[in-house]
Amino acid sequence: MRVDLHSHSTFSDGVLTPEQLVLRAGQMQVDLLAITDHDCIDAIAPAEEAIARHNLRLTLVPGIEFSTKWHGFEIHILGLNFNGSDQALLKTIAQQQQKRQERAEKIARKLAHLNIEDLSAKVAKVSAKSISRMHFAKVLVAEKKCKDAPAAFTKYLSKNKAAYVSPDWLSIDQAIAAIKDAGGVACLAHPFHYDMKTKWLRRLFDDFVNWGGEATELIHPRVSPTKLNVIQDIAKEHKLYASVGSDFHAPNRWTELGRKLTLPSNFAPIWDRF
Ligand code: AMP
Ligand code: MN
Ligand code: MN
Ligand code: MN
């Protein structure tokens, strides 16, 4: 079975519409797909509709990627297989959207102070539902202020850079509670991407599990085996289920839906919990 439980659509910072995303997943012979937009679940309904209309042999798992704050780190928590009509979950998502909107206004003001015109209107135009720093990066590139998106992050948008705004995301325990109360499973996203020492990673896994988290991502085609081994050992100690996802945002040389995502054999797959 081919599984990909981490992907983004145009409803956040991905480049494919929900319909294009499920069609591509179908071409890649993905059997089980989750669209996990940043703090947003609006892609799920049109994706389901497209699967039915194109008669695709593909099961969509409801998904979301929450941005959370933990000891100054931004930690991403995936919610999978929840009830998307849960009122408390919808309220939590609306609050995160409000925070994204407020942060975007502050980023635009900071950029305006740096002699870059107010980009708010242009960013509003390129962003669909969930406004992110990626939308600012794209406008900065289009306006020839930066050569590419990574440069926009390095110069302006990353932590401690000129237009960085410390976000006011919900906490990890709040995200886990919202996911679980809606009947879903909480999964730690890409632990290998956080810039932290092993001691902090252990603390992160400890807290995640103590607060009710049940699964973690464990593999990535572009992370060193050494780093993955450390993460897999910690995950094993914490008896977590394993999830697999490409974090697909756009077709490129390195990322493809459902590719190179073999689950380590000594872990139970998260889809056993669905
Ligand atoms: P946000 O969630 O609004 O903070 O936006 C960050 C998004 O920008 C991430 O989800 C990534 O998809 C994307 N991104 C691309 N390059 C970078 C980078 N160098 N640092 C952080 N985010 C990046
Ligand atoms: Mn993203
Ligand atoms: Mn992420
Ligand atoms: Mn992601």
Side-chain angles (χ1 to χ4, degrees):
M1 187 163 75
R2 199 171 275 197
V3 181
D4 194 331
L5 298 175
H6 190 160
S7 68
H8 295 271
S9 78
T10 43
F11 279 80
S12 62
D13 54 353
V15 304
L16 301 187
T17 63
E19 180 178 27
Q20 289 167 334
L21 199 57
V22 296
L23 281 171
R24 192 174 184 99
Q27 280 162 10
M28 296 301 152
Q29 291 167 345
V30 172
D31 302 289
L32 199 59
L33 175 78
I35 301 176
T36 51
D37 281 318
H38 299 287
D39 303 301
C40 176
I41 59 171
D42 294 22
I44 297 173
E48 285 288 12
E49 192 266 333
I51 289 170
R53 186 154 33 85
H54 295 284
N55 212 359
L56 299 175
R57 235 191 73 257
L58 171 70
T59 304
L60 191 74
V61 179
I64 189 166
E65 182 171 18
F66 275 120
S67 291
T68 76
K69 195 115 178 242
W70 180 81
H71 294 286
F73 296 102
E74 283 192 54
I75 305 295
H76 288 179
I77 303 292
L78 297 169
L80 296 166
N81 205 38
F82 46 76
N83 166 16
S85 310
D86 183 89
Q87 286 307 307
L89 179 69
L90 291 172
K91 194 171 159 210
T92 302
I93 293 170
Q95 286 165 347
Q96 287 284 102
Q97 283 304 323
Q98 178 70 27
K99 289 171 182 176
R100 281 190 171 273
Q101 215 56 52
E102 287 163 8
R103 182 187 62 158
E105 285 158 23
K106 288 182 188 162
I107 293 174
R109 274 205 293 277
K110 280 202 165 184
L111 286 169
H113 281 300
L114 294 164
N115 284 332
I116 294 177
E117 61 175 307
D118 189 340
L119 299 176
S120 321
K122 283 171 179 154
V123 170
K125 219 178 264 176
V126 296
S127 66
K129 170 80 199 208
S130 193
I131 191 164
S132 80
R133 284 180 293 166
M134 196 56 173
H135 298 109
F136 278 93
K138 283 178 177 167
V139 172
L140 285 164
V141 174
E143 296 292 307
K144 305 227 171 0
K145 306 289 183 192
C146 301
K147 74 168 174 14
D148 54 21
F153 275 92
T154 308
K155 191 161 184 206
Y156 296 113
L157 301 168
S158 287
K159 196 169 178 179
N160 302 325
K161 297 302 162 70
Y164 181 74
V165 174
S166 181
D168 179 29
W169 306 137
L170 80 178
S171 60
I172 293 179
D173 52 317
Q174 288 171 327
I176 294 174
I179 293 161
K180 293 187 80 165
D181 290 350
V185 182
C187 172
L188 183 61
H190 44 62
F192 29 80
H193 282 340
Y194 304 125
D195 186 16
M196 56 174 83
K197 298 248 160 65
T198 304
K199 191 181 103 184
W200 276 96
L201 263 179
R202 286 191 175 282
R203 283 186 70 173
L204 174 60
F205 274 88
D206 287 348
D207 280 353
F208 179 73
V209 168
N210 286 335
W211 290 329
E214 293 173 88
T216 182
E217 294 189 309
L218 288 173
I219 50 165
H220 191 276
R222 286 199 291 155
V223 175
S224 78
T226 320
K227 181 135 204 177
L228 292 182
N229 276 334
V230 171
I231 303 272
Q232 291 182 9
D233 285 348
I234 300 174
K236 196 84 215 171
E237 286 164 28
H238 288 79
K239 301 189 167 57
L240 286 165
Y241 286 91
S243 185
V244 289
S246 60
D247 205 357
F248 182 93
H249 283 75
N252 65 39
R253 223 180 323 158
W254 305 284
T255 330
E256 188 48 85
L257 289 165
R259 195 178 68 189
K260 295 191 195 158
L261 293 173
T262 312
L263 188 79
S265 60
N266 52 343
F267 282 89
I270 188 176
W271 47 97
D272 282 359
R273 287 278 288 96
F274 296 164

